[in-house]
Amino acid sequence: MITSFRTAAAVLPAAACTSALLVLGSSTPASAGVLDVTCAPPSSEVVNFSPPLTMTPQTVTVSTTTQYGPCVSLSNPALTSGARTNSSSAPGQTCLELLTNGPTTFTVTWNTGQTSTISANRTSTVVGAALVTTHTGTVTAGLFAGSTAVQVLTGAAADVLPCTLGLGTVASIYSAVTLEITSV
């Protein structure tokens, strides 16, 4: 009985150490990605709605201007900023469009003249007083093709929530932007 206790006492610490090493070893990723480029605030986006969004469906022209910068790229040090603009009209738009999720594609034009086309899944949610929109996807063409991309826009939700209740309009949204493109 005492021999079994001594054997167990000697084996348990060794087993615990082995288990800890296995757990620690398995938490390390097999291959870590390399950050191709990161752009942080004061990167920003302004989206204008004409006419302003309401809860009554209507044709709305949506104009988007995004400024990326400062940006840092170790693989392409000349890349320091980027931009994208888009304008489109769509029928049946309401305030609820601001909270929709789904696929999206956009192209960033870098200060070097190169472009990156990103295909992503868009998710939008209100977190406290902020409207947070996240684009998670892949660079499908151009500079950094094949890399993953995550863009997070954080803007004020002050006009969004009243509008979804039919108590106001949304003429524009200003958001701070963070963009990270990582090779896999």
Side-chain angles (χ1 to χ4, degrees), residues 45 62 96 115:
E45 179 173 278
V62 180
L96 296 177
T115 61

Side-chain angles (χ1 to χ4, degrees), residues 6 9-10 16 19 27 29 38 51 53 72 82 115 120 129-130 134 139 148 156 176-177 180:
R6 285 185 187 157
S19 296
S27 67
T38 184
L53 293 172
V72 176
T115 61
T134 304
V139 179
T148 62
V177 176
E180 289 188 351

Side-chain angles (χ1 to χ4, degrees), residues 40-46 65-69 82 84 153 174-178:
S43 296
S44 63
E45 179 173 278
V46 177
T65 302
T66 310
Q67 297 295 324
Y68 298 97
R84 75 179 175 107
L153 299 99
Y174 172 88
S175 300
V177 176
T178 301

Side-chain angles (χ1 to χ4, degrees), residues 8-32:
V11 171
L12 285 176
C17 288
T18 303
S19 296
L21 288 174
L22 289 174
V23 169
L24 291 174
S26 65
S27 67
T28 305
S31 63

Side-chain angles (χ1 to χ4, degrees), residues 89-172:
S89 292
Q93 299 292 300
T94 70
C95 299
L96 296 177
E97 300 303 318
L98 300 171
L99 300 174
T100 61
N101 302 324
T104 186
T105 299
F106 57 92
T107 299
V108 178
T109 301
W110 303 108
N111 64 295
T112 59
Q114 298 163 297
T115 61
S116 296
T117 300
I118 298 170
S119 295
N121 185 46
R122 173 184 186 266
T123 59
S124 294
T125 186
V126 173
V127 179
L131 173 64
V132 179
T133 303
T134 304
H135 299 91
T136 305
T138 305
V139 179
T140 55
L143 186 62
F144 309 123
S147 296
T148 62
V150 177
Q151 176 176 273
V152 179
L153 299 99
T154 306
D159 294 336
V160 175
L161 293 177
C163 188
T164 60
L165 297 172
L167 303 173
T169 64
V170 177
S172 65

